[in-house]
Amino acid sequence: MIDDYYEHRIRAVDEVILIPETEPDRQYYFMSKLRELISEKEQEKGGKLTYHVETFGCQMNAKDSEKLAGILSAVGYEEVETEEADMVIYNTCTVRENANTRVYGRIGFLGTLKKKNPDMHIALCGCMMQEEEAVEKIKKSYRFVDIIFGTHNIYQLAELLYRRMNGEERVISLLKDTKLIVEDLPSELKFSFKAGVNIMYGCDNFCTYCIVPYVRGRERSRRPEDIVKECEHLVSRGVREIMLLGQNVNSYGKGLEEQVSFAKLLHMVSEVPGISRIRFMTPHPKDLSDELIEEIAVNKKVCRQVHLPLQCGSSRILQKMNRRYTKEQYLELVDKIRARIPDVSLSTDIMVGFPGETDEDNEETIDVVRKARFISAFTFIYSKRNGTPAAKMDNQLSEEEQNRHFKKLLDAVNEVATEEAQRAEGQIQEVLVEEINQKNGMLTGRLDNGLLVHFDGNADLLGSLQRVLLKECKGFYYIGEVVEKN
Ligand code: SAH
Ligand code: SF4
Ligand code: F3S
């Protein structure tokens, strides 16, 4: 369902004759035009046109997909669960080689679906499309793809689809970088009660292994008042938990007319009435401020979980990664956070197998895992990305060495995470009830620290906060029981 506000914006341009030059008015103009085209097609088909957006990659992409879905719903498409749809968008990721491979496999499958439904439109967007190589390959080997666009012009979907429907055989629109932030367009929520909010786009850190700064462009922060306005709007739609999103939230505010630190922004968002929980992803350990630690400590709405990407525990490798902290500095930071917020849970991202990583380096990483006591960790094997400095470094590890490091790390991570999770057994904690487990029919809720709890309950608890007794720890999740409120 499209909000009245956006409905009004589309109707407002119905009678406009000249195509507006400024955004987002221009996109509302194309949405209005698309509505006419799509209702004609509905007549031919004898029913609603359908869409499916498939998201690969991180929360940034998930958020972008909600924007794409919002535009498609606004022009008259209906969402379906599978790719058997009239419009399919793959929002791609390229952070590791296997992310790319998965996308290519699935594009081939779209080709077979299009043979059955020649009116189907296929669009590819996201991080992979910001790489020339990938786009060339798609142009040559997957000629049935109708629309290609990138991370910098997600907001143009209506315009690009209009061009395709209006006769252009193939629409390719890619920008290398942008300073523009276009917002105030419709968006669909994947969950009715929790949502991500971009606070900044791009990344300026250039960790030597990472492709993100090349495909997401330079850092740019949204104005705090726009962020707060979006949060208010989300709350009016029923959202209770907000996740503030940025590749390095600590550098929020750079380049804004009025400097606002991330800690201040966190505070401003927490004052929006109706928000129960706030999370954020991702702070960089190199510049996590005391002000931020203090804000998390005193602000009851901010979840007691800090996701602090370690990547590696060896100072030598960290330097080659351009992470700009040492093992000791990372551990000092962990101590400082734990001292000020004793009930905090720490989670992390770790990558093994960076060029030149020795068994000793890997032991250093495992040492940090044991000392920092992460409650959960995303673990990755280094993947060489063309165009990044690390791709040209000597001593790339063999797959066998990488796997060996990975297995050792995983054993340590699992051991520590299980011990940490077990500490909460028997406690009563608050969960946000998120979904019904398809397998066992139980409800699934998420704790403040991000871990899941399964418990019996009625579907009308979905989206509510409940107090739950953590009866049994199953490693990375709990079996619980709702505790009646007095
Ligand atoms: N901005 C965030 C992470 C974004 S990418 C941060 O700095 O933490 C998410 C994770 O993917 C990274 O934390 C890293 O662990 C992993 N990653 C990035 N590039 C990678 C590569 N080339 N190979 C394997 N993992 C990678
Ligand atoms: Fe990649 Fe580093 Fe930027 Fe994170 S901070 S997105 S790892 S370059
Ligand atoms: Fe995210 Fe993948 Fe892009 S991790 S920023 S979707 S390359």
Side-chain angles (χ1 to χ4, degrees):
M1 260 296 282
I2 173 162
D3 274 34
D4 288 349
Y5 169 77
Y6 296 116
E7 185 60 39
H8 176 77
R9 300 266 328 228
I10 299 177
R11 297 221 172 144
V13 291
D14 265 356
E15 307 296 326
V16 169
I17 299 168
L18 282 179
I19 304 177
E21 297 217 349
T22 52
E23 299 289 5
D25 292 346
R26 187 177 172 88
Q27 298 312 313
Y28 281 106
Y29 170 87
F30 285 109
M31 280 188 231
S32 154
K33 293 286 159 228
L34 270 176
R35 278 189 169 182
E36 292 165 22
L37 286 181
I38 283 165
S39 85
E40 281 167 28
K41 292 214 177 261
E42 276 176 12
Q43 306 269 321
E44 286 167 31
K45 185 184 169 184
K48 282 272 195 193
L49 298 196
T50 56
Y51 79 87
H52 180 75
V53 180
E54 188 73 29
T55 311
F56 300 81
C58 67
Q59 260 108 351
M60 312 282 162
N61 261 18
K63 176 72 186 177
D64 284 345
S65 289
E66 292 189 349
K67 297 179 184 173
L68 297 168
I71 294 169
L72 293 176
S73 302
V75 299
Y77 284 92
E78 213 167 66
E79 189 178 12
V80 287
E81 295 281 309
T82 72
E83 281 107 320
E84 293 197 29
D86 299 300
M87 170 84 198
V88 174
I89 304 183
Y90 278 177
N91 190 6
T92 63
C93 170
T94 187
V95 77
R96 285 170 286 275
E97 186 63 39
N98 57 7
N100 281 40
T101 321
R102 271 181 61 215
V103 171
Y104 283 126
R106 298 273 293 261
I107 305 174
F109 162 65
L110 289 184
T112 58
L113 288 179
K114 193 165 178 173
K115 285 208 177 95
K116 284 193 260 169
N117 175 12
D119 283 341
M120 176 181 180
H121 286 129
I122 298 173
L124 302 179
C125 65
C127 295
M128 217 171 124
M129 299 305 118
Q130 294 296 140
E131 292 182 294
E132 245 168 70
E133 241 183 327
V135 173
E136 284 311 311
K137 180 166 170 174
I138 288 156
K139 281 206 270 193
K140 247 193 13 238
S141 316
Y142 302 92
R143 306 190 69 88
F144 52 83
V145 172
D146 298 281
I147 303 172
I148 298 178
F149 56 118
T151 54
H152 302 305
N153 55 346
I154 285 280
Y155 65 89
Q156 279 181 333
L157 174 63
E159 178 169 355
L160 305 177
L161 181 58
Y162 180 78
R163 279 169 52 189
R164 175 67 188 92
M165 283 196 159
N166 216 18
E168 259 182 72
E169 200 171 316
R170 190 182 233 190
V171 180
I172 300 178
S173 177
L174 292 159
L175 308 176
K176 277 211 155 52
D177 201 351
T178 183
K179 288 201 170 70
L180 212 61
I181 295 180
V182 177
E183 32 204 36
D184 213 12
L185 284 162
S187 143
E188 280 284 298
L189 295 180
K190 185 151 193 264
F191 300 93
S192 57
F193 46 84
K194 65 169 183 179
V197 172
N198 297 114
I199 63 164
M200 59 201 296
Y201 300 94
C203 181
D204 286 353
N205 285 309
F206 291 95
C207 303
T208 55
Y209 51 79
C210 186
I211 195 82
V212 172
Y214 304 89
V215 296
R216 287 269 170 183
R218 296 293 57 76
E219 242 169 57
R220 49 217 183 272
S221 292
R222 288 178 71 193
R223 296 186 314 166
E225 54 271 33
D226 293 337
I227 296 167
V228 168
K229 208 170 100 189
E230 183 177 343
C231 293
E232 286 166 351
H233 184 74
L234 287 167
V235 168
S236 75
R237 292 171 75 178
V239 167
R240 310 196 65 176
E241 180 177 306
I242 297 275
M243 163 95 81
L244 300 177
L245 299 170
Q247 293 297 357
N248 174 13
V249 294
N250 303 338
S251 55
Y252 173 76
K254 257 200 296 184
L256 286 177
E257 265 169 44
E258 198 189 328
Q259 285 283 314
V260 177
S261 66
F262 177 61
K264 291 229 167 54
L265 178 75
L266 205 54
H267 190 79
M268 286 167 78
V269 169
S270 74
E271 288 189 325
V272 172
I275 294 183
S276 310
R277 276 181 168 182
I278 307 170
R279 300 181 184 279
F280 56 91
M281 280 266 263
T282 312
H284 195 303
K286 75 176 160 65
D287 48 14
L288 195 145
S289 67
D290 292 350
E291 188 198 6
L292 178 58
I293 298 175
E294 194 54 31
E295 184 62 32
I296 304 169
V298 299
N299 193 327
K300 290 294 161 231
K301 288 191 180 173
V302 179
C303 287
R304 257 110 201 90
Q305 178 200 8
V306 180
H307 186 75
L308 203 56
L310 167 67
Q311 310 303 359
C312 183
S314 151
S315 299
R316 192 178 70 85
I317 297 288
L318 282 168
Q319 193 184 13
K320 293 212 305 175
M321 288 178 162
N322 191 32
R323 288 292 289 179
R324 286 176 272 177
Y325 52 84
T326 62
K327 174 186 182 184
E328 290 70 30
Q329 284 166 334
Y330 185 93
L331 286 171
E332 272 166 33
L333 179 61
V334 165
D335 287 345
K336 193 154 75 168
I337 296 172
R338 287 207 189 277
R340 185 63 188 94
I341 319 166
D343 56 346
V344 76
S345 291
L346 294 177
S347 57
T348 196
D349 286 3
I350 303 174
M351 183 194 319
V352 300
F354 186 81
E357 185 183 76
T358 62
D359 287 359
E360 290 73 44
D361 293 320
N362 200 41
E363 287 306 323
E364 300 266 18
T365 305
I366 291 171
D367 187 43
V368 178
V369 169
R370 295 200 188 287
K371 291 187 170 133
R373 306 211 58 80
F374 301 115
I375 195 144
S376 67
F378 295 110
T379 47
F380 307 103
I381 292 178
Y382 165 74
S383 165
K384 192 166 153 181
R385 307 316 289 137
N386 281 341
T388 63
K392 292 194 220 81
M393 287 181 187
D394 296 336
N395 302 323
Q396 302 278 336
L397 265 60
S398 69
E399 221 178 288
E400 193 202 328
E401 285 169 306
Q402 288 188 323
N403 288 336
R404 188 158 43 84
H405 288 184
F406 189 68
K407 190 178 173 313
K408 280 198 96 172
L409 170 74
L410 211 58
D411 287 346
V413 162
N414 288 344
E415 187 190 314
V416 169
T418 311
E419 283 169 14
E420 283 301 298
Q422 260 159 0
R423 292 186 337 141
E425 215 176 53
Q427 290 180 5
I428 293 174
Q429 289 196 24
E430 198 165 64
V431 300
L432 180 65
V433 189
E434 299 200 345
E435 56 193 354
I436 301 177
N437 191 304
Q438 298 298 345
K439 281 192 209 128
N440 55 19
M442 290 172 102
L443 294 178
T444 301
R446 200 175 288 274
L447 295 171
D448 198 294
N449 67 17
L451 292 190
L452 295 177
V453 190
H454 303 295
F455 52 96
D456 287 324
N458 208 307
D460 58 13
L461 295 185
L462 283 173
S464 70
L465 286 163
Q466 296 292 327
R467 280 158 52 77
V468 167
L469 168 67
L470 306 175
K471 284 199 305 191
E472 192 188 350
C473 173
K474 294 276 198 185
F476 304 109
Y477 67 94
Y478 303 89
I479 300 293
E481 188 178 277
V482 176
V483 179
E484 295 302 327
K485 289 189 182 126
N486 326 326

